[in-house]
Amino acid sequence: MRIAGADVIVTSPGRNFVTLEITTDDGLVGYGDATLNGRELAAASYLRDHVVPLLIGRDAHKIEDTWQYLYRGAYWRRGPVTMAAIAAVDVALWDIKAKAAGMPLYQLLGGASRTGIRAYGHASGRDLPELLDSVRARQAEGFRSIRVQSGVPGLETIYGISARGKDYEPAGRHPLPNEETWDTRAYLRHLPTVFEAVRNEFGPELPLLHDCHHRLTPIQAAKLGKALEPYDLFWLEDCTPAENQEALRLVREHTTTPLAIGEVFNTAFDYQTLIREQLIDYVRSAVTHTGGVTAMRKLFDYAGLYQVKTGIHGPTDISPVGMAAGLHLDLAIHNFGIQEFMPHSAETYEVFRRSYTFEDGYLHPGETPGIGVELDKKAAEKFEYEPAYLPVNRLRDGTLHDW
Ligand code: GCO
Ligand code: MG
């Protein structure tokens, strides 16, 4: 089975997505996601200009060899653009292989290790009453694990907080990135009071998560982890920027709050110290940004040796294609932890027809052969690409800070 064609589709049904469509000489079609939020056209060009010409005529069944050909063969390794492009090819080829086999992808990965995939949803509020309402709304939708993000008094707009009743979407369609203001001391003072109130309201059972979004120094992260211990978090995410893996050693020495990290990582090497020294509890990579199913499987097996579990990144900037690929891994691997799930908009689902389901707090990839997501090209054409940027973050004195 040879690759006969490859097409890069950039569409914007509610937000931008980059999708690779691979067709084979016997008529099978596979899809892969290469969406890189705020830098979409770089991934699209990498695919169109540098990868598609290499694919035509290759054996579509040779997934590992194609992965190595694109990774080692480029000479220039790693990085978000390269790894998103490789991911798109890899997932499209797994989609095709599973369709050829007449099986959902998880069967090719070893079969189901569980009946459903525990998912967490996002609750947020500018103040406490809004936040408590938001937690109740997620529970009403069926979520049984909830990420809690709260406004901080004195700060106008911050990461993770949507306007009342609206879904959160950080990428703005402005000519320049939005500017947000940040005050770490105010955040560190306020957040434990928020978790105390949420625990008082919802009791000890509900698994609660929180995302620091890379904003703290190691000692600040250690302090926060310690302060949150009474509220028994499921995890504290991206507490430090983590380019420096050693930073987590200091955090770990001071707190038993479980740590999750890695949504901006691209390869297993970004986790090497973190996993080997058991400095984290959950790996947060997305299939889309870490080189696809082939690379994620290896990363997860490596993590499993050290009792580190998974928590695949699942925001709206992972397309339904990338989401579905992750769900097949979630179902098949042994060391699954939890899956993030931010449902996409109706427009997005109009373009990406999916077979995955969410019911009673659990996701399932469905039984359709392949990954179970098809792109409707006619629908995609209606939504033209619009430049969008993630916000930037500044301290009160104007210093640029991690967003
Ligand atoms: C998460 C993430 C996202 C990112 C987004 C950036 O934990 O879901 O932090 O919300 O901010 O993916 O593109
Ligand atoms: Mg995050």
Side-chain angles (χ1 to χ4, degrees):
M1 183 170 56
R2 300 271 152 196
I3 297 176
D7 195 9
V8 180
I9 300 134
V10 181
T11 177
S12 193
R15 66 166 343 287
N16 294 321
F17 296 109
V18 178
T19 310
L20 176 69
E21 181 192 70
I22 293 184
T23 37
T24 65
D25 53 6
D26 55 4
L28 287 177
V29 181
Y31 293 101
D33 177 28
T35 307
L36 192 58
N37 206 2
R39 296 290 187 272
E40 295 86 358
L41 297 186
S45 157
Y46 191 106
L47 279 169
R48 251 184 215 134
D49 299 329
H50 303 293
V51 173
V52 167
L54 307 177
L55 295 178
I56 310 303
R58 287 185 72 82
D59 181 346
H61 275 307
K62 288 189 172 177
I63 298 179
E64 178 71 30
D65 183 67
T66 300
W67 196 97
Q68 300 295 345
Y69 186 73
L70 295 176
Y71 182 78
R72 289 173 207 284
Y75 186 66
W76 308 108
R77 298 178 188 190
R78 307 169 68 178
V81 176
T82 301
M83 298 313 286
I86 294 177
V89 175
D90 185 78
V91 170
L93 293 182
W94 276 110
D95 192 18
I96 287 169
K97 191 184 280 294
K99 282 173 178 162
M103 289 180 186
L105 174 59
Y106 74 82
Q107 293 291 10
L108 271 57
L109 300 175
S113 288
R114 53 197 51 80
T115 51
I117 297 158
R118 186 207 347 212
Y120 73 89
H122 289 194
S124 72
R126 287 169 295 184
D127 54 26
L128 195 58
E130 251 185 45
L131 173 60
L132 298 181
D133 280 353
S134 175
V135 174
R136 282 184 209 105
R138 292 297 86 75
Q139 287 184 308
E141 288 162 13
F143 284 102
R144 294 176 189 173
S145 304
I146 296 177
R147 187 184 91 156
V148 166
Q149 302 296 130
S150 165
V152 174
L155 296 180
E156 204 31 48
T157 44
I158 63 169
Y159 165 76
I161 315 298
S162 51
R164 192 181 176 77
K166 285 211 167 156
D167 293 330
Y168 182 63
E169 178 53 73
R173 290 170 163 174
H174 317 289
L176 290 173
N178 264 344
E179 304 246 340
E180 298 181 355
T181 310
W182 183 245
D183 179 339
T184 303
R185 278 172 60 77
Y187 165 77
L188 290 177
R189 273 197 309 273
H190 185 61
L191 199 69
T193 70
V194 170
F195 274 90
E196 184 183 17
V198 172
R199 270 287 170 240
N200 285 342
E201 182 71 16
F202 296 99
E205 285 297 325
L206 182 65
L208 298 175
L209 303 85
H210 179 72
D211 192 344
C212 292
H213 227 251
H214 328 272
R215 289 166 187 218
L216 306 179
T217 64
I219 200 67
Q220 290 167 341
K223 183 178 173 171
L224 182 64
K226 222 167 147 179
L228 293 177
E229 275 171 25
Y231 315 115
D232 190 25
L233 264 61
F234 184 94
W235 80 32
L236 187 63
E237 178 186 343
D238 285 337
C239 59
T240 66
E243 282 99 333
N244 173 19
Q245 297 185 36
E246 318 277 310
L248 272 292
R249 210 174 281 140
L250 189 139
V251 183
R252 198 64 153 177
E253 276 164 8
H254 288 90
T255 181
T256 56
T257 294
L259 302 173
I261 219 153
E263 67 183 39
V264 300
F265 291 0
N266 318 126
T267 73
F269 292 105
D270 299 323
Y271 289 100
Q272 208 167 7
T273 306
L274 299 179
I275 291 175
R276 200 183 49 227
E277 295 190 22
Q278 291 174 280
L279 301 180
I280 56 166
D281 301 281
Y282 297 92
V283 301
R284 287 285 287 142
S285 281
V287 174
T288 305
H289 300 135
T290 314
V293 168
T294 297
M296 289 280 274
R297 181 74 207 230
K298 292 174 188 179
L299 167 63
F300 287 173
D301 286 346
Y302 173 53
L305 298 177
Y306 296 87
Q307 292 178 289
V308 174
K309 295 193 176 192
T310 68
I312 294 184
H313 191 209
T316 41
D317 46 284
I318 301 294
S319 88
V321 169
M323 183 75 197
L327 295 181
H328 287 275
L329 276 163
D330 287 337
L331 201 65
I333 56 169
H334 175 250
N335 54 327
F336 167 75
I338 201 165
Q339 169 69 51
E340 180 180 27
F341 181 44
M342 266 177 100
H344 287 101
S345 68
E347 287 168 315
T348 300
Y349 288 143
E350 187 193 331
V351 170
F352 297 93
R353 307 270 159 82
R354 72 204 186 280
S355 68
Y356 61 81
T357 52
F358 174 70
E359 215 179 310
D360 272 343
Y362 287 88
L363 286 153
H364 195 285
E367 298 299 336
T368 311
I371 60 167
V373 175
E374 302 293 320
L375 182 137
D376 180 332
K377 269 188 158 169
K378 273 261 145 324
E381 275 166 22
K382 291 195 304 192
F383 303 100
E384 227 172 275
Y385 167 78
E386 283 183 55
Y389 286 104
L390 286 169
V392 297
N393 202 23
R394 289 186 191 278
L395 303 181
R396 290 189 192 279
D397 69 357
T399 307
L400 201 88
H401 193 69
D402 301 273
W403 176 72

